[in-house]
Amino acid sequence: RSGRPVRGRWPTSRSARGCSSPAGQHRQTEDRLYDIVAEGAGMAEREKASFFYEWVYSKVEYDTELKRKTVYEAVMEGRSVCWGYVSAYLMLCRMAGMDCEPVYGGGHAWNRVWIDGGWKHCDITWDKSAGLRRWKLVPEAKMEEDPMHRTFL
């Protein structure tokens, strides 16, 4: 078969399952995230953005050893630095057809997603570290005023 999705999944051969190659890891990650996107089918964009935020928030822990940074490590192993959080949220939103971008600077990264006619920022990494949801779907103007992020914008 070609590389087209089959019922929302990329076909894998028997030899590719459990494979630790970058291509195998990418397929495993996509498969897992397609399942999450399917759970959000039928939701409005704001609900999806919140649902994806909560999924990443609940499934990923910060890697204090600073060794894990890929989307695979975030999604499949549950541990990453900020780039893994950002990549997981980015992939979920884009797989659901939503406009989402990474925002980065000063050694830190977070996301912004276009909903309700404007950019809303999500910093899942810092929220998780603080045990809060302070930076969940924050409007762009408010994020620019935030003392923790304005130096990066």
Side-chain angles (χ1 to χ4, degrees):
R1 292 189 178 195
S2 70
R4 292 193 186 110
V6 177
R7 286 186 300 217
R9 296 181 180 274
W10 290 93
T12 57
S13 67
R14 173 173 269 209
S15 62
R17 279 189 218 125
C19 181
S20 62
S21 72
Q25 289 179 354
H26 185 73
R27 279 190 298 272
Q28 289 174 337
T29 303
E30 276 190 331
D31 283 351
R32 179 68 180 116
L33 293 178
Y34 272 126
D35 291 342
I36 305 311
V37 170
E39 288 180 40
M43 292 181 184
E45 285 195 338
R46 179 174 272 283
E47 290 174 292
K48 283 182 194 175
S50 180
F51 177 69
F52 297 153
Y53 171 101
E54 293 297 336
W55 188 87
V56 175
Y57 186 101
S58 68
K59 301 296 182 189
V60 184
E61 297 293 329
Y62 192 77
D63 179 26
T64 56
E65 295 176 355
L66 308 178
K67 293 181 181 179
R68 295 175 187 91
K69 57 186 163 237
T70 68
V71 67
Y72 174 83
E73 291 162 322
V75 172
M76 303 306 293
E77 298 175 5
R79 189 167 297 281
S80 180
V81 296
C82 60
W83 193 249
Y85 283 77
V86 167
S87 299
Y89 189 79
L90 182 73
M91 283 185 71
L92 285 165
C93 288
R94 287 184 174 175
M95 288 171 141
M98 299 169 66
D99 290 329
C100 186
E101 300 177 343
V103 180
Y104 46 90
H108 183 55
W110 64 95
N111 300 90
R112 68 182 193 166
V113 60
W114 185 265
I115 51 175
D116 301 331
W119 289 112
K120 307 297 185 284
H121 290 249
C122 294
D123 191 337
I124 305 169
T125 310
W126 280 6
D127 272 352
K128 182 72 181 253
S129 297
L132 303 169
R133 284 170 174 74
R134 177 179 175 185
W135 295 291
K136 178 181 178 182
L137 302 176
V138 176
E140 181 122 316
K142 235 173 147 47
M143 195 66 147
E144 289 171 353
E145 296 170 2
D146 183 75
M148 299 286 287
H149 289 89
R150 75 171 158 227
T151 58
F152 300 128
L153 295 172

